[in-house]
């Protein structure tokens, strides 16, 4: 199972989820808020204080965070999105530094929701509690 854990309050994160949902024609991804029950059950090995600052991708039993998560998600999405794969050649320390800079400023850049994302009726089958 491929689960994308995201900050449900973040407009940038929600925009990324919206993009993925539009492009994921085969419905390979499911989504869960980092504040939800699924995250509490499956992300126990991670430092919970750092969760909101990183998107987390769980592919089967493997966990990916920060830039690795984004690159793996785009690769699994397939098609033209695989063109991002060469970005993995950039040293992880540099990729993650850029990721953290964007993450740290994401609310300033694109704002924050007052409440966590609530899936629409058509989206609800793709979201975990």
């Amino acid at each position: 199972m491929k689960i994308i854990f995201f900050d449900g309050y973040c407009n940038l994160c929600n925009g990324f989820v919206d993009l993925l949902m539009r492009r994921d024609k085969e419905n390979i991804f499911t989504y869960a808020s980092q504040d939800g029950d699924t995250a509490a059950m499956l992300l126990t090995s991670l430092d919970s204080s750092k969760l909101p600052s990183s998107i987390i991708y769980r592919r089967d039993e493997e966990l990916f965070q920060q830039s690795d998560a984004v690159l793996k998600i785009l690769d699994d999405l397939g098609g033209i999105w695989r063109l991002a794969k060469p970005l993995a050649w950039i040293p992880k320390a540099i990729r993650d530094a850029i990721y953290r800079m964007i993450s740290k400023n994401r609310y300033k850049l694109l704002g924050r929701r007052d409440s966590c994302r609530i899936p629409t009726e058509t989206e609800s089958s793709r979201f975990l509690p």
Side-chain angles (χ1 to χ4, degrees):
M1 179 179 270
K2 297 174 178 165
I3 306 170
I4 298 169
F5 294 94
F6 68 103
D7 176 357
Y9 295 97
C10 171
N11 285 333
L12 177 62
C13 303
N14 278 285
F16 186 54
V17 168
D18 289 341
L19 173 103
L20 293 171
M21 290 184 72
R22 283 192 309 273
R23 302 292 184 246
D24 180 15
K25 304 299 182 196
E26 297 177 24
N27 295 336
I28 63 169
F29 299 121
T30 53
Y31 306 89
S33 170
Q34 292 178 358
D35 294 333
D37 296 338
T38 304
M41 285 187 320
L42 298 178
L43 301 179
T44 56
S45 65
L46 300 177
D47 179 357
S48 61
S49 68
K50 294 182 181 178
L51 288 184
S53 65
S54 177
I55 193 164
I56 298 162
Y57 182 41
R58 186 174 193 260
R59 182 171 58 188
D60 302 318
E61 298 300 317
E62 251 183 310
L63 290 177
F64 303 96
Q65 294 183 67
Q66 298 185 27
S67 65
D68 284 342
V70 174
L71 292 175
K72 296 289 185 186
I73 290 166
L74 294 176
D75 189 45
D76 286 351
L77 186 58
I80 195 166
W81 302 101
R82 286 202 170 126
L83 292 175
K85 199 170 192 164
L87 294 174
W89 297 338
I90 297 170
K92 180 175 172 44
I94 295 170
R95 285 187 284 121
D96 282 349
I98 294 167
Y99 181 96
R100 284 189 302 274
M101 183 180 66
I102 293 168
S103 176
K104 181 179 177 183
N105 295 294
R106 69 190 187 278
Y107 294 148
K108 291 177 200 167
L109 294 170
L110 294 170
R112 183 181 198 279
R113 295 174 178 221
D114 292 331
S115 62
C116 194
R117 178 188 184 123
I118 299 172
T120 65
E121 191 173 310
T122 57
E123 295 174 339
S124 63
S125 65
R126 299 182 68 192
F127 281 79
L128 301 171

